[in-house]
Structure formats: structure tokens, C-alpha cells
Amino acid sequence: MADLIIRNARITTLDPARPSAAAIAIADGLVVAVGEENDVMAHASDATRVIDAHRRRLVPGLNDSHTHLIRGGLNYNLELRWDGVRSLADAMAMLKAQVAITPAPQWVRVVGGFTQHQFAEKRLPTLAEINAAAPDTPVFILHLYDRALLNAAALRAVGYSKDTPDPPGGQIQRDKAGNPTGLLLAKPNALILYATLAMGPRLPPDYQLNSTRHFMRELNRLGITSVIDAGGGFQNYPDDYAIIRKLHADDQLTVRIAYNLFTQNKGKELADFRRWSDLLAPREGDDMLRHNGAGEMLVFSAADFELFNEPRPELPPDLEPDLENVVRLLSEKRWPFRIHATYDESITRVLDVYEKVDRQVPFDGLHWIIDHAETISERNIERVRALGGGIAIQHRMAFQGEAFAERYGAAQTARTPPIRRMLDSGVPVGAGTDATRVASYNPWTALHWLVSGRTLGGLQMYGDDNRLQREEALRLWTRGSAWFSSEQMRKGALAVGQFADMALLSADFFSVAEDEIRDIASVLTIVGGRVVHGDGDYAALAPVLPAPMPDWSPVNHRGGYRGGGIAEASAAFATAHARTHPKGSGCGVHGRHGHAAHHDAPADNPGGFWGALGCSCFAF
């Protein structure tokens, strides 16, 4: 008998045997029946919870095949998100409001997820505007992989001066006197941007736990139930995985996570993977947290970070020997692997190595992935297929299409990436975001890109020959992505025996106007038969989260993704905030007093953590 039944729904199952249904029954975390309502209700008992979907569209839970949840969760509560904000004026108003409540020595950080082209003004803020909005509070704004904007206070905080040399691969812009202006440029890689960001204050472990829970809930709000975490710069194993492991041990994960390990040591990549492969068996873990192999960084010599406003980087001659040694080890250990490869020229060299290793140590069904592949050729798509690999695509062109078109022209842009050709070849394709720094974590911006072929700025990149029908796009975000964690038989469709992961949508993906796709969210999200998010009529079904920590967190005051109208989002936040932060509680929205009462602990306890820092709200 069922634990939970959802009835009166319009269900898109993505199961070829039964493409649509009206009701679904769940028991022990799995789908046990899907079909007509009378048939499914036969699985009900007195103990079954029955939810009326009110004819809303129910789809399989979305699965991001390439994102950075683990790293993003550690910092989510610290970051002011401009994702979805549609005017620079609104973005700067948000920045100024956050500056007003952010205490020293904390920074205000806008860390990716937006593009200047999404703004009505079609530009970034000037350094003068940022300094006027924040004369004393450090501000760090990361735009894609290409640049960071720092105000004068941030330059002082990181210690950049006339005497600071440019690092390899980066540039500190200077005035005529040689002093840094606050503009950092990636030329040709993002190391200077990430290294500077890493100098900022970090949250303590309890706050990182809280931050990661709020980030997962934000993903649940958008219908995401699974992700594949591709590692990332400054995300070291095992140290930076302690928080996600703690949440898993405490049964507080609300997103299924398969994680890849990303080497951090240039010149010592083989040693990293040799050590890790002795620690972890292939795909070690369970259905909520599972190791998924190596990458997306396999060797530094193969990293062709995309900056479409810059020329394609020429990769060094040591790519082949470096990569061969690592891939041979991974194949011997039966570790799946993935590699960041943007340009066809890089992919050609990578595939040359893979084919050589496969002849010596056969991959033999081992799942391996090319990530990004924006300019991959038809020949290399066929080579990927022949060798049993898959291609993970993301909506990076929705953010950078204008820069790509300016450099390479409209004809090349129209097939970048060649999604239709990938699908026609039969190669496994999964969709994702590459969030949180280079693009937004919102899957609906990615689905809008796949369907419309347009950038966030409105540039029409693709014709009918490279756009997807809506069900095709949804399939890449569900069944398609499941292949990339070797779970294609367990998730991605609402079929008997598969995981009970699903999202009830705020609007019907299959009938809303194209431009409204990117404003869709989930009103009810279920992972393994458990409600992990509810909104509107379903809000009472969702577990209550503790308030975001610290209380001045941008998440507390401005929420996450800001699609649609700013006024509506602000009103929704105000309603939610009033329930958990009444006046007089000490919350930064209402003033900076009453901290001890707010935390039920003496703020001046000289022997305690908070006493050593002065205040639990405003210092770490």
C-alpha cells in the first residue's frame, strides 16, 4: 500500500510505456503505481497521505548533470545573488541595501550567476558606482569567468597595491600611477578571480551546515531533486566535503548528490587520483550521496577555460603525457571520469589520448564524460559515441552568446553547442547549469535556452535545426542526466520501481509562453517519497528550516533567484521573514540590538565562541 498518493494531476512520466497519467502512488521511496486515478487509488489505505494536485503539471525531478552544489552550499548564505535580476538599477539597489546591514569585516559578494546582457541597461556597474554604494564595506562582484570588480575597501582587504605583481594568467588593471583600479581580468584563466575570492571571510562549520541546507532548499524550490557535483577550484577532498557528509549522516540531504573529485595540485594530479582511488571504491556511497569518479579537472594542462571575449587558449604540449597517465590509472581502477573541454581543438587532443589508453586498458562500458563541448565537431561527436562516452551540456551560451557571436560570427554561433547533432548521433547527452559561478543554478533558464535558442539578453542564436521541443529538453534534464551517474535505470522517469523524485510545477511547462519558462518554479518537490519543498497550498507539507545564518545574510533579506518582478519577490520575502524574525528578535532587518536574546546565549561570554568574536550575528 502507498505512503503517499498524488491525484488530480497532469503527469508527464517520460516513460515510453505510459507517457501520461493522472495519479501516482509512492511507497518506501519508490513509485509503486502510476496511471488513471481509480487504479492508483486502489493502493490507498487509512494511513496513506493523499495530495490533490489541482490539475497542475507533475514532472520527474530535475537532475543537473554538471553543477557545484557542495562548494556553492558552503558560501550560499554569504552571497547576494543577481541571478534573474533584469535591470542594473535593481541590482545596485539590492547591493546598496545589503551594504547597509553587512557588518565589518564581512564582504558583500555577488559571485556569478548573471550576465551584463540580462540587464535592461546592457552593462556592468562602474567601479565609481560600486564605490559610491559601498565606501567602507568590501564588495566583490564576479562576472562569469572573465572579470571581478572590487571596490576600494575590498582592495584594502586583500592587500592589492602598486607593488602587487600580476599573477600568471591574470591581470590587475591599474591607473596611470600604477595603483589597482579594482578591475581583475582573467587572461586567460580564472585563477586570479578565485584566489581573490578565497581571501574573504568564511562561515564557521555550523553556519556552513545551515547555508548548505538553504541552498538545497532553493534548488528544491526550482524542482531539482538530483545533481552531479563536478568538484571545483579550491574544493579540496576530503576537507571541503565534511559539511555535506555531516548533513548526509544526519539525514538532512534534500538533493541526491553524485560527486566527482577535482584535483587541486598542478603537476601532482596523478598523485591525487592515486591516493583518492585507494580511499574510495568506484561509486562508493548510497542513493543520496555517492562518489562518481574523477574530474572535471583531470590535469591542469588540459584546462581550456572558456572566455569567449578572449582568443581560444593554446594548450601546452605536456597535455598528452599528463592526461594519459591519469586516464590509464582511472581505467585500471574502474573510476568514471569527466573532463572540462570547451573547444573542438582541445577535444581532439583529449580523444587522441582516450583512444590510445582504451587500446591498452579498455574502457569497456566505463562511463566517461566530455563537459561543455561548445564547439565540438561532428567527427568528434562520433568519436565520443564510438568510445562509449557522453556529453554534458550547460547553458553557458545563454550568458556568453553575445561575446561568442562577436568573435566567431552568427554562423558558428548557430551550432554552438551542436545539441541536435549530438542527439541525432545517439551519444548520451545530459543537461545542467555549471552553477554557481559561471551561470545561474536555475534549471528553468537552461530549459528556456534549450527551447528558445536565445541568450538572456535576447540574442537569437539558433534556428529550428538546433532548438529542442519542450519534452526533448525536459528529457535531457531527467532521463538524459541520469546516465552521467550510471543511474539511468533508477531515476529520470515516473515509472514503477524508479525513485519517487518529482516536482509539481507553478505553471505548465508545456503550455506557457516561451519567455515565461524561466519563471517556472515548483510548488511541491518530493525526493524519495519525502516532501522537501512546498509553496502556496502545499507550504504546510514542507519541513521547516532554521533561519539563514547569519541574520544579515542576503538569503535572509533578498532570497535566492530573482525572476519576474522584484516587488513580488520582495513582498514574498517580507511575509516569510516576519514569521521567523519578529521585531525585537535582534535580526538585522529590524536593527542590530538584542543579539543575546536572539540567540538565547550571552553575547559577552568570554569563554565561548560568540564572546571571542564579539557577536554571533556580525563576526566570524
Side-chain angles (χ1 to χ4, degrees), residues 319-329 353 356-357 360:
L319 181 161
E320 284 81 2
D322 290 350
L323 186 59
E324 180 180 341
N325 289 333
V326 167
V327 173
R328 181 181 292 107
L329 171 72
V353 172
K356 179 180 179 181
V357 174
Q360 301 164 349

Side-chain angles (χ1 to χ4, degrees), residues 71-82:
R71 182 182 66 189
L74 300 179
N75 304 292
Y76 177 69
N77 282 3
L78 287 178
E79 295 174 357
L80 177 67
R81 305 300 305 182
W82 282 355

Side-chain angles (χ1 to χ4, degrees), residues 547-559 573 577 581 587 589:
M549 299 161 61
D551 74 339
W552 53 265
S553 165
V555 177
N556 239 335
H557 305 298
R558 271 156 285 279
F573 163 75
H577 187 273
H581 294 75
C587 171
V589 168

